[in-house]
Amino acid sequence: MPLESFDLSGKAAIVTGASSGLGRHAARSLAAAGAKVAIAARRLEPLVELEKQIEARDGRAIPLRLDVTDPASVADCVKAAETELGPISILVNNAGVAVTKAALEVEEADWDQVVGTNLKGAWLMAQAVAEHMVRLGHGGSIINTASVLGLAGAAQIPAYCASKGGLVNLTRALAVEWARHGIRVNALAPGYIETEINRDFLTSPAGESLRKRVPLRRFGTPEDLDGALLLLASEASRYITGSVIVIDGGQSAAL
Ligand code: NAD
């Protein structure tokens, strides 16, 4: 397959939760591959900084305020992205939160925040972007950021596991339904990737013992997701839909 099929020149993308961690890095990677990127999150200041970084490398980015749990905010974001960048052909559903608590301690507000952001938020974004893709008739690629915790369980993080498991199967359901519109829907399932969400834990003694159980003997970096991200975003994955790509250094393959 020619390398050009990974090229995103001229394509427009939306990345949710682009103000930090994996989302910020994904926005930079898509821009470096040629895409025009709407970088969206609740706070604008870090997005303006990211916009400057992307533009300093001759990329195009527009910062947009977005709360994925709010349908009106989702609609405004997709409309603004379309107005500024033209037809949107890539959505990276990255916004996510975690609450780490014993199952017996989890309160309804914790559950609603985690499932509302990670599952309902991804759904609202996918529906709004797919409506736009169907209306314009050009298809596209939706990439949901799930987790290995959507494929297996872990203690102390039940709402997160439920939200990511739901997101994995939502990915399959939408892939089946929207294939007729040329919309591919896939998921990334990262293992432990060092970012703001988990740095304290991964650098603690408990994190160190976890690292020894990863077959590749290290935690991931945001750059480790680039191959799968650019594959799923580009025409290189034109026959891939409903798939979940695990990026975890072999962690979930080991007993
Ligand atoms: P992070 O906390 O650095 O980034 C999460 C982003 O989501 C932030 O920009 C935050 O502002 C945004 N966000 C949260 N709620 C939002 C809302 N309501 N509306 C809009 N934006 C919102 O964490 P990260 O590690 O970069 O995680 C990114 C995604 O990757 C998450 O979905 C996370 O569950 C997933 N993930 C991370 C890892 C990991 O090890 N870091 C592993 C598997 C999956």
Side-chain angles (χ1 to χ4, degrees), residues 227-246:
L229 174 75
L230 295 177
L231 170 69
L232 294 181
S234 69
E235 284 305 302
S237 60
R238 59 185 176 252
Y239 199 55
I240 301 177
T241 195
S243 289
V244 182
I245 301 186
V246 176

Side-chain angles (χ1 to χ4, degrees), residues 123 126-127 130 133-134 140-144 166-187 232 237-244:
W123 153 249
Q127 190 187 40
M133 290 171 173
V134 170
S141 170
I142 296 176
I143 302 164
N144 293 323
L167 186 57
V168 164
N169 219 28
L170 178 64
T171 298
R172 299 185 183 114
L174 298 181
V176 171
E177 183 163 338
W178 291 343
R180 75 196 68 168
H181 300 297
I183 301 171
R184 297 182 297 101
V185 189
N186 293 288
L232 294 181
S237 60
R238 59 185 176 252
Y239 199 55
I240 301 177
T241 195
S243 289
V244 182

Side-chain angles (χ1 to χ4, degrees), residues 16-24 40-43 47 66-70 93-98 113 116-118 145-149 160 164 167 188-198 202 225:
T16 71
S19 59
S20 65
L22 302 184
R24 182 172 55 203
R42 288 166 300 179
R43 289 176 305 129
L47 297 175
L66 166 70
D67 180 346
V68 297
T69 66
D70 174 359
N93 256 328
N94 165 83
V97 290
Q113 188 206 0
T117 305
N118 300 1
T145 309
S147 168
V148 289
L149 293 181
Y160 186 86
K164 296 297 188 179
L167 186 57
L188 302 174
Y192 288 100
I193 314 293
E194 200 176 318
T195 66
E196 287 87 335
I197 211 173
N198 56 22
L202 295 184
L225 271 61

Side-chain angles (χ1 to χ4, degrees), residues 22 25 40 51 66 75 89 94 144 161 163 187 197 211 224 230 251:
L22 302 184
H25 181 76
E51 175 192 21
L66 166 70
S89 54
N94 165 83
N144 293 323
C161 291
S163 69
I197 211 173
R211 187 181 62 77
D224 290 327
L230 295 177
Q251 188 191 347

Side-chain angles (χ1 to χ4, degrees), residues 29-237:
S29 300
L30 295 177
K36 303 172 277 184
V37 190
I39 44 179
R42 288 166 300 179
R43 289 176 305 129
L44 268 187
E45 312 82 71
L47 297 175
V48 171
E49 185 53 40
L50 177 60
E51 175 192 21
K52 283 188 198 143
Q53 290 172 11
I54 290 176
E55 296 201 334
R57 293 179 191 174
D58 296 328
R60 173 94 201 277
I62 56 158
L64 295 175
R65 201 187 296 278
L66 166 70
D67 180 346
V68 297
T69 66
D70 174 359
S73 173
V74 165
D76 288 349
C77 170
V78 175
K79 193 164 177 224
E82 179 182 359
T83 305
E84 293 282 328
L85 302 180
I88 308 299
S89 54
I90 301 160
L91 166 66
V92 181
N93 256 328
N94 165 83
V97 290
V99 170
T100 309
K101 272 186 190 176
L104 291 177
E105 309 295 328
V106 172
E107 295 176 18
E108 188 179 359
D110 299 324
W111 180 273
D112 288 347
Q113 188 206 0
V114 173
V115 178
T117 305
N118 300 1
L119 182 54
K120 185 178 167 190
W123 153 249
L124 290 173
M125 282 300 302
Q127 190 187 40
V129 169
E131 186 278 329
H132 158 94
M133 290 171 173
V134 170
R135 178 164 42 83
L136 297 186
H138 60 69
S141 170
I142 296 176
I143 302 164
N144 293 323
T145 309
S147 168
V148 289
L149 293 181
L151 304 171
Q156 311 277 332
I157 190 160
Y160 186 86
C161 291
S163 69
K164 296 297 188 179
L167 186 57
V168 164
N169 219 28
L170 178 64
T171 298
R172 299 185 183 114
L174 298 181
V176 171
E177 183 163 338
W178 291 343
R180 75 196 68 168
H181 300 297
I183 301 171
R184 297 182 297 101
V185 189
N186 293 288
L188 302 174
Y192 288 100
I193 314 293
E194 200 176 318
T195 66
E196 287 87 335
I197 211 173
N198 56 22
R199 185 158 294 127
D200 289 348
F201 171 67
L202 295 184
T203 52
S204 71
E208 181 55 19
S209 78
L210 189 62
R211 187 181 62 77
K212 291 185 180 139
R213 297 207 296 274
V214 178
L216 288 180
R217 290 290 184 275
R218 66 174 177 86
F219 295 125
T221 65
E223 291 76 10
D224 290 327
L225 271 61
D226 282 348
L229 174 75
L230 295 177
L231 170 69
L232 294 181
S234 69
E235 284 305 302
S237 60

Side-chain angles (χ1 to χ4, degrees), residues 4-20:
E4 301 85 73
S5 57
F6 287 86
D7 183 29
L8 302 178
S9 295
K11 297 198 179 218
I14 301 176
V15 179
T16 71
S19 59
S20 65

